[in-house]
Coordinates of all heavy atoms in Angstrom, one line a residue:
G509 N 9.6 -17.0 5.8 CA 8.7 -17.1 4.7 C 8.6 -15.8 3.9 O 8.4 -14.8 4.4
M510 N 8.7 -15.9 2.6 CA 8.8 -14.7 1.6 C 7.5 -14.5 0.9 O 7.5 -13.5 0.1 CB 10.0 -14.8 0.8 CG 11.4 -14.7 1.5 SD 11.7 -13.2 2.5 CE 11.9 -12.0 1.0
G511 N 6.7 -15.4 1.0 CA 5.4 -15.2 0.1 C 4.6 -16.6 0.2 O 5.2 -17.6 0.6
A512 N 3.3 -16.5 -0.2 CA 2.6 -17.7 -0.2 C 1.4 -17.6 -1.1 O 1.1 -16.5 -1.4 CB 2.1 -18.1 1.3
Y513 N 0.7 -18.8 -1.5 CA -0.5 -18.7 -2.2 C -1.3 -19.9 -2.0 O -0.9 -21.0 -1.4 CB -0.1 -18.6 -3.8 CG 0.5 -19.9 -4.3 CD1 -0.3 -20.9 -4.9 CD2 1.8 -20.0 -4.2 CE1 0.3 -22.0 -5.4 CE2 2.4 -21.3 -4.7 CZ 1.7 -22.3 -5.2 OH 2.2 -23.4 -5.7
T514 N -2.7 -19.9 -2.3 CA -3.5 -20.9 -2.1 C -4.6 -20.6 -3.1 O -4.9 -19.5 -3.5 CB -4.1 -20.9 -0.8 OG1 -4.8 -22.1 -0.5 CG2 -5.0 -19.7 -0.4
P515 N -5.4 -21.7 -3.6 CA -5.1 -23.1 -3.4 C -4.1 -23.7 -4.3 O -3.5 -22.9 -5.0 CB -6.6 -23.7 -3.7 CG -7.1 -22.8 -4.7 CD -6.6 -21.5 -4.4
L516 N -3.9 -25.0 -4.2 CA -2.6 -25.5 -5.0 C -3.3 -26.5 -6.1 O -3.7 -27.6 -5.7 CB -1.8 -26.4 -4.0 CG -1.3 -25.7 -2.8 CD1 -0.5 -26.7 -1.9 CD2 -0.5 -24.5 -3.2
D517 N -3.3 -26.0 -7.3 CA -4.1 -26.7 -8.3 C -3.2 -28.0 -8.6 O -3.8 -29.0 -9.2 CB -4.0 -25.9 -9.6 CG -5.0 -24.8 -9.5 OD1 -5.9 -24.8 -8.5 OD2 -4.9 -23.8 -10.4
W518 N -2.0 -28.1 -8.3 CA -1.0 -29.1 -8.7 C -1.0 -30.2 -7.7 O -0.4 -31.3 -7.9 CB 0.3 -28.6 -9.0 CG 0.8 -27.7 -7.8 CD1 0.7 -26.4 -7.7 CD2 1.6 -28.2 -6.6 NE1 1.3 -26.0 -6.5 CE2 1.8 -27.0 -5.9 CE3 2.0 -29.5 -6.2 CZ2 2.5 -27.1 -4.7 CZ3 2.7 -29.4 -5.0 CH2 2.9 -28.3 -4.3
A519 N -1.6 -30.0 -6.5 CA -1.5 -31.0 -5.4 C -2.4 -32.2 -5.8 O -3.4 -32.0 -6.4 CB -1.9 -30.4 -4.1
P520 N -2.0 -33.4 -5.2 CA -2.9 -34.5 -5.5 C -4.3 -34.3 -4.9 O -4.5 -33.6 -4.0 CB -2.3 -35.6 -4.6 CG -0.9 -35.1 -4.3 CD -0.9 -33.7 -4.5
E521 N -5.3 -34.8 -5.7 CA -6.7 -34.6 -5.2 C -7.1 -34.9 -3.9 O -7.8 -34.3 -3.2 CB -7.6 -35.3 -6.3 CG -8.9 -34.4 -6.6 CD -9.6 -35.1 -7.7 OE1 -9.0 -35.5 -8.8 OE2 -10.8 -35.2 -7.6
D522 N -6.4 -36.1 -3.4 CA -6.8 -36.5 -2.1 C -5.9 -36.1 -1.0 O -5.9 -36.5 0.1 CB -6.8 -38.1 -2.2 CG -5.5 -38.6 -2.5 OD1 -4.6 -37.8 -2.8 OD2 -5.2 -39.9 -2.3
L523 N -5.0 -35.0 -1.3 CA -4.1 -34.6 -0.4 C -4.6 -34.2 1.0 O -4.1 -34.7 2.0 CB -3.4 -33.3 -0.9 CG -2.4 -32.7 0.1 CD1 -1.0 -33.4 0.1 CD2 -2.2 -31.1 -0.1
V524 N -5.7 -33.5 1.0 CA -6.2 -33.0 2.2 C -6.7 -34.1 3.1 O -6.4 -34.2 4.3 CB -7.3 -31.8 2.1 CG1 -8.0 -31.4 3.4 CG2 -6.6 -30.6 1.4
L525 N -7.5 -35.1 2.5 CA -8.0 -36.1 3.1 C -6.8 -37.0 3.7 O -6.9 -37.5 4.9 CB -8.9 -37.0 2.2 CG -10.4 -36.7 2.4 CD1 -11.0 -37.6 1.4 CD2 -10.7 -37.2 3.8
D526 N -5.9 -37.2 2.8 CA -4.8 -38.1 3.2 C -4.0 -37.6 4.4 O -3.7 -38.3 5.4 CB -3.9 -38.2 2.0 CG -2.8 -39.3 2.2 OD1 -3.1 -40.3 2.7 OD2 -1.6 -39.0 1.7
V527 N -3.8 -36.3 4.4 CA -3.0 -35.6 5.5 C -3.8 -35.7 6.8 O -3.4 -35.9 7.9 CB -2.5 -34.2 5.2 CG1 -1.9 -33.5 6.3 CG2 -1.6 -34.2 3.9
C528 N -5.1 -35.4 6.6 CA -6.0 -35.5 7.8 C -5.9 -36.9 8.4 O -5.8 -37.1 9.7 CB -7.5 -35.2 7.5 SG -7.8 -33.4 7.3
R529 N -6.0 -38.0 7.5 CA -6.2 -39.3 8.0 C -4.7 -39.8 8.5 O -4.8 -40.5 9.5 CB -6.6 -40.2 6.8 CG -7.1 -41.5 7.1 CD -7.9 -42.1 5.8 NE -7.0 -41.9 4.7 CZ -6.0 -42.8 4.3 NH1 -5.8 -43.8 5.0 NH2 -5.3 -42.6 3.2
R530 N -3.7 -39.4 8.0 CA -2.4 -40.0 8.3 C -1.6 -39.1 9.2 O -0.6 -39.6 9.8 CB -1.6 -40.4 7.1 CG -2.3 -41.5 6.2 CD -1.2 -42.2 5.4 NE -0.9 -41.4 4.3 CZ 0.4 -41.4 3.8 NH1 1.3 -42.2 4.3 NH2 0.7 -40.6 2.8
V531 N -1.9 -37.8 9.2 CA -1.0 -36.8 10.0 C -1.8 -36.2 11.1 O -1.5 -36.2 12.3 CB -0.4 -35.8 9.0 CG1 0.4 -34.8 9.9 CG2 0.5 -36.5 8.0
L532 N -2.9 -35.4 10.7 CA -3.5 -34.5 11.6 C -4.2 -35.1 12.7 O -4.1 -34.9 13.8 CB -4.3 -33.5 10.8 CG -3.5 -32.6 9.8 CD1 -4.5 -31.9 8.9 CD2 -2.6 -31.5 10.6
Q533 N -5.2 -36.1 12.3 CA -6.0 -36.7 13.3 C -5.2 -37.6 14.2 O -5.4 -37.5 15.4 CB -7.1 -37.5 12.6 CG -8.2 -38.0 13.5 CD -9.1 -36.9 14.1 OE1 -9.8 -36.1 13.3 NE2 -9.1 -36.8 15.3
P534 N -4.3 -38.4 13.7 CA -3.4 -39.2 14.6 C -2.6 -38.5 15.6 O -2.4 -38.8 16.7 CB -2.5 -40.1 13.6 CG -3.1 -39.9 12.2 CD -4.0 -38.7 12.3
T535 N -2.2 -37.2 15.2 CA -1.4 -36.4 16.0 C -2.2 -35.8 17.2 O -1.9 -35.8 18.3 CB -0.6 -35.4 15.2 OG1 0.2 -35.9 14.3 CG2 0.1 -34.4 16.1
V536 N -3.5 -35.3 16.8 CA -4.4 -34.8 17.7 C -4.8 -36.0 18.7 O -4.9 -35.7 20.0 CB -5.6 -34.2 17.0 CG1 -6.8 -33.9 17.9 CG2 -5.2 -32.9 16.3
D537 N -5.0 -37.1 18.2 CA -5.4 -38.1 19.1 C -4.4 -38.6 20.0 O -4.5 -38.8 21.2 CB -5.9 -39.5 18.3 CG -7.1 -39.2 17.3 OD1 -7.9 -38.2 17.7 OD2 -7.4 -39.9 16.5
E538 N -3.1 -38.6 19.5 CA -1.9 -39.0 20.3 C -1.7 -37.9 21.4 O -1.4 -38.1 22.6 CB -0.6 -39.1 19.5 CG 0.6 -39.2 20.3 CD 0.7 -40.5 21.1 OE1 -0.1 -41.5 21.0 OE2 1.6 -40.5 22.0
M539 N -1.9 -36.7 21.1 CA -1.8 -35.5 22.1 C -2.8 -35.8 23.3 O -2.6 -35.5 24.4 CB -1.8 -34.2 21.5 CG -0.6 -33.8 20.6 SD 0.9 -33.9 21.5 CE 0.8 -32.3 22.2
A540 N -4.1 -36.1 22.9 CA -5.1 -36.3 23.8 C -4.8 -37.5 24.7 O -5.0 -37.4 25.9 CB -6.4 -36.5 23.1
R541 N -4.3 -38.6 24.1 CA -4.0 -39.8 24.8 C -2.9 -39.5 25.9 O -3.0 -40.0 26.9 CB -3.4 -40.8 23.8 CG -3.4 -42.3 24.3 CD -2.6 -43.2 23.3 NE -1.3 -42.8 23.2 CZ -0.2 -43.1 24.1 NH1 -0.6 -43.7 25.3 NH2 1.0 -42.7 24.0
R542 N -2.0 -38.6 25.6 CA -0.9 -38.2 26.5 C -1.5 -37.3 27.6 O -0.7 -36.9 28.5 CB 0.2 -37.4 25.8 CG 1.0 -38.4 24.9 CD 2.0 -37.5 24.1 NE 2.8 -38.5 23.3 CZ 4.1 -38.6 23.4 NH1 4.8 -37.7 24.1 NH2 4.8 -39.4 22.7
G543 N -2.7 -36.9 27.6 CA -3.3 -36.0 28.5 C -2.8 -34.5 28.4 O -3.1 -33.6 29.3
T544 N -2.4 -34.2 27.1 CA -2.1 -32.8 26.8 C -2.8 -32.5 25.5 O -2.0 -32.4 24.4 CB -0.5 -32.5 26.7 OG1 -0.1 -33.5 25.7 CG2 0.1 -32.6 28.0
P545 N -4.1 -32.5 25.5 CA -4.8 -32.3 24.2 C -4.4 -31.0 23.5 O -4.1 -30.0 24.2 CB -6.3 -32.2 24.6 CG -6.3 -32.0 26.1 CD -5.0 -32.5 26.6
F546 N -4.3 -31.1 22.1 CA -3.9 -29.9 21.4 C -5.1 -29.3 20.8 O -5.8 -29.9 20.0 CB -3.0 -30.4 20.2 CG -2.4 -29.3 19.5 CD1 -1.1 -28.8 19.7 CD2 -3.2 -28.6 18.5 CE1 -0.6 -27.7 19.0 CE2 -2.8 -27.4 17.8 CZ -1.4 -27.1 18.1
A547 N -5.5 -28.1 21.2 CA -6.6 -27.3 20.7 C -6.0 -26.0 20.2 O -5.4 -25.2 21.0 CB -7.6 -27.1 21.8
G548 N -6.3 -25.7 19.0 CA -5.8 -24.5 18.4 C -5.6 -24.7 16.9 O -6.3 -25.5 16.2
L549 N -4.5 -24.2 16.4 CA -4.1 -24.4 15.0 C -2.9 -25.3 14.9 O -1.9 -25.0 15.4 CB -3.8 -23.1 14.2 CG -3.8 -23.5 12.8 CD1 -4.7 -22.7 11.9 CD2 -2.3 -23.4 12.2
L550 N -3.1 -26.4 14.2 CA -2.0 -27.5 14.0 C -1.5 -27.2 12.6 O -2.3 -27.5 11.6 CB -2.4 -28.9 14.3 CG -1.5 -30.0 14.1 CD1 -0.2 -29.7 15.0 CD2 -1.9 -31.3 14.4
Y551 N -0.3 -26.9 12.5 CA 0.3 -26.5 11.1 C 1.2 -27.7 10.8 O 2.1 -27.9 11.5 CB 1.1 -25.2 11.4 CG 2.0 -24.8 10.3 CD1 2.1 -23.4 9.9 CD2 2.9 -25.6 9.6 CE1 3.0 -22.9 9.1 CE2 3.8 -25.1 8.6 CZ 3.8 -23.8 8.4 OH 4.8 -23.3 7.5
A552 N 0.9 -28.4 9.7 CA 1.7 -29.4 9.2 C 2.5 -28.8 8.0 O 1.9 -28.5 6.9 CB 0.9 -30.7 8.8
G553 N 3.8 -28.8 8.1 CA 4.7 -28.5 6.9 C 5.1 -29.8 6.3 O 5.5 -30.7 7.1
L554 N 4.7 -30.0 5.1 CA 4.9 -31.3 4.4 C 5.8 -31.2 3.2 O 5.9 -30.3 2.5 CB 3.5 -31.8 3.8 CG 2.3 -31.7 4.9 CD1 1.0 -31.7 4.3 CD2 2.5 -33.0 5.8
A555 N 6.6 -32.3 2.9 CA 7.3 -32.4 1.7 C 6.7 -33.5 0.9 O 6.4 -34.7 1.4 CB 8.8 -32.8 2.0
M556 N 6.4 -33.3 -0.4 CA 5.8 -34.3 -1.3 C 7.1 -34.9 -1.9 O 7.5 -34.6 -3.0 CB 4.9 -33.6 -2.3 CG 3.9 -32.8 -1.7 SD 2.9 -33.6 -0.5 CE 1.9 -34.6 -1.6
T557 N 7.7 -35.9 -1.3 CA 8.9 -36.5 -1.7 C 8.6 -37.6 -2.7 O 7.4 -38.1 -2.9 CB 9.7 -37.2 -0.6 OG1 9.1 -38.5 -0.2 CG2 9.7 -36.3 0.7
S558 N 9.7 -38.1 -3.4 CA 9.6 -39.2 -4.4 C 9.1 -40.5 -3.7 O 8.6 -41.4 -4.3 CB 10.9 -39.4 -5.0 OG 11.9 -39.5 -4.1
R559 N 9.2 -40.6 -2.4 CA 8.6 -41.8 -1.6 C 7.4 -41.5 -0.8 O 7.1 -42.3 0.0 CB 9.9 -42.3 -0.7 CG 11.0 -42.9 -1.5 CD 12.1 -43.3 -0.6 NE 12.7 -42.1 0.0 CZ 13.2 -42.1 1.2 NH1 13.3 -43.1 1.9 NH2 13.8 -40.9 1.6
G560 N 6.8 -40.4 -1.2 CA 5.5 -40.1 -0.6 C 5.5 -38.9 0.3 O 6.6 -38.3 0.5
M561 N 4.4 -38.6 0.8 CA 4.3 -37.4 1.7 C 4.9 -37.7 3.1 O 4.8 -38.6 3.7 CB 2.8 -37.1 1.9 CG 2.4 -36.0 2.8 SD 2.0 -36.6 4.4 CE 0.5 -37.5 4.1
R562 N 5.7 -36.6 3.5 CA 6.4 -36.7 4.8 C 6.1 -35.3 5.6 O 6.2 -34.3 5.0 CB 7.9 -36.8 4.6 CG 8.3 -38.1 4.0 CD 8.3 -39.2 4.9 NE 8.9 -40.5 4.3 CZ 8.3 -41.4 3.4 NH1 7.0 -41.1 3.1 NH2 8.9 -42.3 3.0
V563 N 6.1 -35.4 6.9 CA 6.1 -34.1 7.7 C 7.4 -33.6 7.9 O 8.3 -34.3 8.2 CB 5.4 -34.4 9.0 CG1 5.5 -33.2 10.0 CG2 3.9 -34.9 8.9
V564 N 7.6 -32.4 7.5 CA 8.9 -31.6 7.8 C 8.9 -31.1 9.1 O 9.9 -31.1 9.9 CB 9.0 -30.5 6.6 CG1 10.3 -29.7 7.0 CG2 9.1 -31.1 5.3
E565 N 7.8 -30.5 9.6 CA 7.7 -29.9 10.8 C 6.3 -29.7 11.2 O 5.4 -29.6 10.4 CB 8.4 -28.6 10.9 CG 7.6 -27.5 10.0 CD 8.1 -26.0 10.2 OE1 8.6 -25.7 11.3 OE2 7.8 -25.2 9.4
F566 N 6.0 -29.5 12.5 CA 4.8 -29.0 13.1 C 4.9 -27.7 13.6 O 6.0 -27.4 14.2 CB 4.3 -30.0 14.2 CG 3.5 -31.2 13.8 CD1 3.9 -32.5 14.3 CD2 2.7 -31.3 12.7 CE1 3.2 -33.6 14.0 CE2 2.1 -32.4 12.3 CZ 2.4 -33.7 13.0
N567 N 3.9 -26.9 13.4 CA 3.8 -25.5 14.3 C 2.5 -25.6 15.0 O 1.6 -26.2 14.6 CB 3.9 -24.4 13.3 CG 5.4 -24.3 12.7 OD1 6.4 -24.5 13.4 ND2 5.4 -24.0 11.5
A568 N 2.5 -24.8 16.1 CA 1.4 -24.8 17.0 C 0.4 -23.5 16.8 O -0.3 -23.1 17.7 CB 1.8 -24.9 18.3

Side-chain angles (χ1 to χ4, degrees):
M510 294 296 290
Y513 67 96
T514 186
L516 310 178
D517 291 344
W518 51 271
E521 210 170 320
D522 63 350
L523 173 85
V524 172
L525 256 178
D526 190 40
V527 177
C528 280
R529 203 168 42 84
R530 293 202 291 146
V531 175
L532 298 166
Q533 191 71 58
T535 300
V536 165
D537 293 347
E538 172 62 18
M539 292 298 285
R541 198 190 62 75
R542 288 172 177 241
T544 52
F546 186 99
L549 190 124
L550 180 58
Y551 169 138
L554 307 160
M556 308 304 287
T557 79
S558 45
R559 285 173 298 147
M561 174 263 291
R562 299 278 188 280
V563 173
V564 176
E565 64 164 343
F566 281 135
N567 292 318

